């Protein structure tokens, strides 16, 4: 590559980086409106009215509402995955994995309940909207892998084996989380503690320790 070509390449990369940073900024600004109103009641115009950005700016950086919502959810869920992966790397005992996983699920449900509600809304819409399905399936797969890493680490530290498949394991934990989220959003103060306890119990069920 010549010096001139290298300069052009660097300039193009800077332009891409600036575009992506702007998308992230717009997505972060839109998250509050999206998480409060959900998919059906949110439009790019509605988001613009509740942020400092114009409808035209949003439309320049995102093709449509689907593009914006999937980008937002994908970005948030990626952060969730990084958070739980720290449990895998930082835990030295099975008990620590169970404690941190259960507490982490309860905490994120309480702190980010509206964001998780948006995810479940998006996943439900994918049953009807074909434009969502590929993104939703990909995000769902990353969450399944995340749960499997947690459970596998628990099994490794416990000296036992996981007796359920990755898909079944994920479905069990996800079902508990969604049920707890519904109760939490309904104002049930016991939803968090029950989710914490249920997650720990599920770990012992999918990784039975016989010794």
């Amino acid at each position: 590559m010549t010096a001139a070509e290298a300069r052009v390449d660097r300039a193009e990369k800077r332009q891409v980086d600036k575009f992506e940073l702007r998308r992230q900024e717009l997505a972060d600004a839109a998250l509050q409106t999206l998480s409060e109103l959900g998919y059906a009641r949110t439009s790019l115009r509605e988001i613009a009215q509740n942020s400092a950005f114009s409808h035209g700016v949003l439309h320049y950086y995102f093709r449509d509402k689907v593009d914006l919502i999937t980008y937002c959810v994908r970005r948030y869920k990626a952060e969730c995955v990084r958070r739980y992966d720290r449990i895998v790397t930082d835990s030295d005992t099975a008990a620590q994995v169970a404690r941190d996983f259960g507490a982490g699920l309860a905490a994120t449900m309480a702190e980010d309940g509206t964001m998780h509600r948006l995810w479940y809304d998006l996943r439900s819409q994918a049953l009807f909207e074909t434009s969502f399905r590929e993104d939703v399936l990909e995000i769902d797969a990353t969450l399944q892998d995340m749960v499997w890493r947690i459970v596998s680490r628990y099994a490794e530290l416990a000296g036992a084996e996981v007796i359920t498949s990755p898909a079944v394991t994920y479905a069990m934990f996800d079902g508990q989380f969604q049920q707890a989220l519904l109760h939490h959003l309904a104002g049930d103060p016991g939803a968090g503690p029950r989710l914490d306890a249920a997650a720990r119990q599920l770990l012992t069920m999918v990784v039975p320790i016989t010794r």
Side-chain angles (χ1 to χ4, degrees):
M1 180 184 295
T2 66
E5 289 172 334
R7 286 195 297 272
V8 170
D9 185 58
R10 287 195 297 271
E12 289 177 346
K13 287 181 178 177
R14 283 196 298 272
Q15 191 64 30
V16 170
D17 290 343
K18 287 171 64 176
F19 185 84
E20 180 60 22
L21 286 172
R22 188 62 164 166
R23 276 167 62 89
Q24 291 176 9
E25 182 183 2
L26 292 168
D28 290 343
L31 275 177
Q32 187 63 34
T33 301
L34 286 168
S35 61
E36 288 177 356
L37 298 181
Y39 169 78
R41 293 190 294 160
T42 305
S43 65
L44 288 184
R45 194 171 300 281
E46 183 79 30
I47 294 168
Q49 290 173 353
N50 287 277
S51 71
F53 304 102
S54 69
H55 179 256
V57 168
L58 287 172
H59 232 304
Y60 177 76
Y61 286 93
F62 296 98
R63 293 188 308 274
D64 50 27
K65 181 174 73 170
V66 171
D67 188 24
L68 174 58
I69 292 178
T70 52
Y71 182 90
C72 288
V73 172
R74 185 185 296 275
R75 184 164 154 73
Y76 175 75
K77 288 299 184 181
E79 175 56 35
C80 285
V81 169
R82 286 191 291 271
R83 189 184 312 161
Y84 287 106
D85 278 348
R86 286 194 286 272
I87 296 175
V88 174
T89 58
D90 295 348
S91 297
D92 296 318
T93 65
Q96 185 180 355
V97 173
R99 182 189 68 235
D100 291 348
F101 186 41
L105 288 174
T108 191
M109 181 194 69
E111 296 166 6
D112 302 320
T114 54
M115 272 305 307
H116 293 295
R117 177 176 65 183
L118 177 61
W119 159 243
Y120 285 117
D121 185 12
L122 183 64
R123 197 167 71 176
S124 295
Q125 290 296 329
L127 297 173
F128 304 94
E129 297 276 356
T130 57
S131 55
F132 279 132
R133 287 178 191 163
E134 183 177 352
D135 289 299
V136 165
L137 287 171
E138 185 178 335
I139 295 170
D140 217 35
T142 65
L143 297 176
Q144 176 176 298
D145 290 343
M146 176 200 78
V147 170
W148 188 248
R149 286 192 293 273
I150 291 279
V151 173
S152 297
R153 179 59 172 162
Y154 176 84
E156 176 189 2
L157 292 171
E161 294 185 1
V162 188
I163 63 171
T164 49
S165 69
V168 170
T169 303
Y170 172 57
M172 293 170 70
F173 282 100
D174 182 65
Q176 284 287 348
F177 188 88
Q178 187 174 15
Q179 182 184 58
L181 178 63
L182 177 60
H183 285 274
H184 168 71
L185 293 172
D188 181 355
R194 288 199 303 273
L195 175 59
D196 184 355
R200 299 183 195 215
Q201 182 182 20
L202 274 178
L203 279 172
T204 65
M205 293 171 63
V206 301
V207 185
I209 301 173
T210 56
R211 57 181 172 81

